[in-house]
Amino acid sequence: MTIHILGAGAIGCHVASVLRKYNHKVTLLLRSSLRVEEFNKHHNRITYRSRGNIEHISGVEAVKAKESTERITSLVVTTKSQHTLEAVSSVASQLSPSSTVLFLQNGMGVVDELLDSVWRATPPPSIIVGINRHAVERLAPYDIQHHSGYDAPESLVLAQHPASGKPLDQNLAQTIVGIPEFRATLLPWEQAYVKMIKKLLINSTINPVATILGCKNGGVLHPHAQTIMQSICEEAFELFKDDLPDETLDSIMKMILEMAYEAKENTCSTLQDIKNNRLTEIDYFNGYICKLGKQRGISTKMNEAMINLVHAKEDLF
C-alpha cells in the first residue's frame, strides 16, 4: 500500500518503521522544510531500537505537508492532539470522502474538533480511531526506542468512528491488523470506546504525575504517587462508571498500576514534551475529564490541579 503519515514523532516513526519492514510505500508529511532537511541529514532513515536490537529503516520518503499535492488515499495521523486540527487542515484538500484516515492520538476529543471544523460542510473520509498501547520514546529526531507493546495482545485497537462518511475501507485496517508487530485488532465501535476510556484513565493518571515528578513511568509506583493517582482516578471513574459496567474503581486502579509497571522504563509522552520544550496534550487528558465534569456537574478538582501544574511546568521549562 501507499500510506502517508502525518507526524514524525515517536509513534509516527514507529508506524513508518514497521510498515516499511513489510515493504509498504511510506511518505512522512512533515510540517516544515527544516524537518525535511533534518530527515535528509539522517540519511532518510529511521533508527528503530527494540529489545536490544538496532535497525536503520530506509526507503521512507519525506515531504513538507503544505507543499505536497499528491492525492492521499490512506493517512495515519500521529501528531500531538493539540496540533492535529492544524496538521489535518494542511492536507485536507488532498483527502476525499473515499480516503481513509487513521487517528492515533492520545486523549479524547480530537475527532470531534475535526468534524466541527474541517468536515463541517463536506462529507468526511472514512475515519478509524486507534487506541495505542505501544510505549515508544523519541530519543532524537527519527531515532526511537520501542519499550513495550510488542508482545502484548491488543496493543493497538482499531475501530471505525460512527461519524465516518462511508463504510469501513478494509485496506488500511487489514494491513495494520495483518502485521504481527503491531499486535492490532479491529473491533466494533462500542467495544473500542470502552478501551478508549480506559486508555484515557491511564494517561490522565500516569502522565501528569510522572511529569510533575520528572520520572519514568515506574516512578509513579511510589506509595505517595499512588495516593495522588487514586484521587485523580476517583474523579474520572465517577464520570465514566456507567460506560464501564464491568469495572470498579479498584479494578481500574489495578489496570493503571499494571500499565505503569509494564512500561516502567518508558518516559511518558507528556514528560517527553516537557523535556523537548513542547506543549503537552494535558488538555486532551485531564482537560477532557474536566470539560465533561462541568457538563455533568461532577467535581474534578484534582484533575484541574494536575492541568495547572503541568501547564506551569510548560511555562517554566
Side-chain angles (χ1 to χ4, degrees), residues 6-7 9 31 35 77-90 103-111 113-114 117-118 203 207 211 268-288 310-311 314:
L6 193 58
R31 62 183 172 185
R35 298 295 185 193
V77 182
T78 66
T79 51
K80 295 289 183 180
S81 298
Q82 67 270 25
H83 301 310
T84 301
L85 177 57
E86 180 183 359
V88 173
S89 296
S90 71
F103 289 94
L104 293 179
Q105 268 71 40
N106 287 320
M108 294 178 69
V110 171
V111 173
E113 288 183 350
L114 291 164
S117 54
V118 177
N203 286 142
N207 285 43
T211 300
C268 73
S269 61
T270 310
L271 183 53
Q272 288 185 51
D273 288 337
I274 293 292
K275 287 183 174 181
N276 288 282
N277 299 312
R278 297 191 299 257
L279 295 177
T280 71
E281 297 170 299
I282 197 70
D283 290 333
Y284 293 87
F285 296 160
N286 306 77
Y288 185 82
V310 172
H311 281 320
E314 289 172 344

Side-chain angles (χ1 to χ4, degrees), residues 94-310:
Q94 297 162 249
L95 297 167
S96 71
S98 62
S99 302
T100 299
V101 183
L102 166 59
F103 289 94
L104 293 179
Q105 268 71 40
N106 287 320
M108 294 178 69
V110 171
V111 173
D112 293 336
E113 288 183 350
L114 291 164
L115 290 168
D116 285 342
S117 54
V118 177
W119 297 303
R120 175 183 286 274
T122 59
S126 179
I127 298 172
I128 303 174
V129 177
I131 303 101
N132 181 39
R133 292 182 59 192
H134 287 277
V136 186
E137 182 177 2
R138 179 182 182 270
L139 303 179
Y142 313 107
D143 187 340
I144 60 171
Q145 173 70 53
H146 190 184
H147 288 288
S148 65
Y150 36 71
D151 57 0
E154 295 190 348
S155 289
L156 181 57
V157 171
L158 308 179
Q160 185 176 32
H161 192 279
S164 284
K166 66 183 182 66
L168 178 66
D169 183 340
Q170 295 286 335
N171 286 339
L172 180 60
Q174 290 303 331
T175 294
I176 299 291
V177 170
I179 295 177
E181 282 90 331
F182 282 130
R183 308 288 290 179
T185 187
L186 181 63
L187 293 179
W189 174 256
E190 293 75 15
Q191 295 178 32
Y193 181 66
V194 170
K195 294 182 181 293
M196 196 180 304
I197 292 172
K198 290 181 179 179
K199 178 69 185 301
L200 176 69
L201 297 181
I202 290 170
N203 286 142
S204 62
T205 49
I206 293 176
N207 285 43
V209 175
T211 300
I212 292 162
L213 293 177
C215 65
K216 292 183 177 182
N217 289 348
V220 304
L221 297 171
H222 187 283
H224 290 309
Q226 289 189 41
T227 299
I228 297 171
M229 291 199 299
Q230 178 84 19
S231 298
I232 297 169
C233 190
E234 284 176 358
E235 294 178 352
F237 184 72
E238 183 65 23
L239 284 167
F240 292 110
K241 62 184 180 182
D242 290 341
D243 297 303
L244 304 169
D246 298 325
E247 302 290 348
T248 65
L249 177 60
D250 288 343
S251 69
I252 291 294
M253 274 305 300
K254 181 175 182 290
M255 174 194 70
I256 290 168
L257 296 176
E258 287 175 349
M259 177 55 66
Y261 182 80
E262 178 184 330
K264 62 184 177 182
E265 294 302 321
N266 187 44
T267 300
C268 73
S269 61
T270 310
L271 183 53
Q272 288 185 51
D273 288 337
I274 293 292
K275 287 183 174 181
N276 288 282
N277 299 312
R278 297 191 299 257
L279 295 177
T280 71
E281 297 170 299
I282 197 70
D283 290 333
Y284 293 87
F285 296 160
N286 306 77
Y288 185 82
I289 290 169
C290 292
K291 179 181 178 181
L292 209 58
K294 289 179 181 177
Q295 293 174 357
R296 299 181 182 180
I298 295 175
S299 174
T300 55
K301 288 184 178 179
M302 181 58 76
N303 282 271
E304 290 171 11
M306 293 299 104
I307 295 169
N308 288 326
L309 284 170
V310 172

